[in-house]
Amino acid sequence: MRQAIGEFEEIVLLVVAAQHDQAYGLSVTEAIEEQLKRSVKLSSVHTSLYRLEEKGLVESRIGDTSTLRGGRKKRHFTITTLGKRALVETQEARKILWNQIPNNVLDIPKG
């Protein structure tokens, strides 16, 4: 069964996959802001990560404490097999739609 994900969830899931087992809330937030030039709140990323975990698309583990974080632990996220399948299905669905656009429809006039 296809696991539906929203656009922001897709972005967060892509970043988690790209960061492999080193993804955590702040690293995902910074990657989105730097790579997509998109302003996002850390709380929105955390909400999305927990929602993805509830759907079984990511799993998390608590890391070691760090003096840089005042002794707080990081929660690291990794993509699950179900998450990988959701990304591939989303990519395939987008390809189908892109392939339906006639060649000249997206031509942007110069000037």
Side-chain angles (χ1 to χ4, degrees):
M1 183 165 112
R2 185 168 192 268
Q3 181 70 51
I5 56 175
E7 186 257 354
F8 190 68
E9 288 179 327
E10 179 186 1
I11 290 170
V12 170
L13 195 53
L14 284 165
V15 174
V16 169
Q19 294 184 350
H20 194 46
D21 62 350
Q22 299 300 312
Y24 60 98
L26 184 58
S27 71
V28 172
T29 301
E30 289 175 345
I32 292 169
E33 290 183 340
E34 290 171 17
Q35 296 173 25
L36 300 181
K37 310 294 183 223
R38 179 173 172 171
S39 178
V40 293
K41 293 183 178 181
L42 179 60
S43 60
S44 299
V45 171
H46 276 139
T47 299
S48 185
L49 286 167
Y50 293 132
R51 190 178 318 119
L52 290 168
E53 190 168 32
E54 287 175 7
K55 292 180 177 181
L57 303 178
V58 298
E59 55 191 14
S60 67
R61 64 174 168 73
I62 302 296
D64 295 329
T65 59
S66 166
T67 55
L68 294 174
R69 296 174 42 86
R72 292 178 299 149
K73 298 177 179 179
K74 290 180 188 173
R75 180 181 294 268
H76 294 269
F77 292 87
T78 55
I79 190 167
T80 63
T81 300
L82 192 59
K84 295 172 187 176
R85 188 172 298 129
L87 280 181
V88 169
E89 289 174 356
T90 300
Q91 183 186 39
E92 290 171 354
R94 289 181 187 269
K95 282 181 186 174
I96 290 169
L97 294 173
W98 275 97
N99 290 337
Q100 292 177 2
I101 300 173
N103 287 338
N104 62 349
V105 168
L106 296 180
D107 288 349
I108 299 173
K110 295 179 181 176

